Amino acid sequence: MTRQDARIVITGGTGQVGTALTRHLLDAGYSVVTLSRNPPQSSDSRLRHLRWDARSLGDWATEVDGALAVVNLAAFIGAARALARYRRNKVDRDDVG
């Protein structure tokens, strides 16, 4: 299998890390499929963006079958706020003792 034939699927591929990884893989000659809640359009024939909600099967499921790799970069929406709230609550509990 050549790199041009190798398909890599990235969940969360339109996020900050996913975008950087996608560019790197395309530069290395791979075909990339990103799965995203709000997929953008692409003019690169080696890159396809598909709608994905992680809860139901759709067109994306066939992309996973036969892929060289699947990279999960999908993030929990609101993770930064949830982590800050957790840390704030944990500190409050630790102070009380």
Side-chain angles (χ1 to χ4, degrees):
M1 173 183 293
T2 65
R3 284 187 180 181
Q4 292 85 1
D5 298 329
R7 179 177 62 252
I8 298 178
V9 178
I10 305 173
T11 66
T14 58
Q16 185 175 1
V17 175
T19 298
L21 177 60
T22 296
R23 271 190 250 118
H24 176 76
L25 292 170
L26 290 171
D27 289 346
Y30 292 97
S31 171
V32 177
V33 176
T34 67
L35 306 179
S36 175
R37 289 175 291 123
N38 299 304
Q41 297 295 317
S42 174
S43 59
D44 189 329
S45 63
R46 301 168 302 149
L47 173 61
R48 291 186 301 123
H49 300 286
L50 297 177
R51 184 169 306 282
W52 176 70
D53 69 5
R55 292 176 292 214
S56 58
L57 291 176
D59 293 340
W60 64 269
T62 58
E63 297 296 335
V64 171
D65 194 28
L68 176 66
V70 177
V71 180
N72 183 12
L73 297 176
F76 169 66
I77 299 170
R81 277 180 274 141
L83 181 58
R85 189 171 42 249
Y86 166 78
R87 287 181 176 155
R88 193 171 46 251
N89 289 336
K90 182 177 182 337
V91 169
D92 291 345
R93 283 194 310 272
D94 289 347
D95 290 342
V96 172

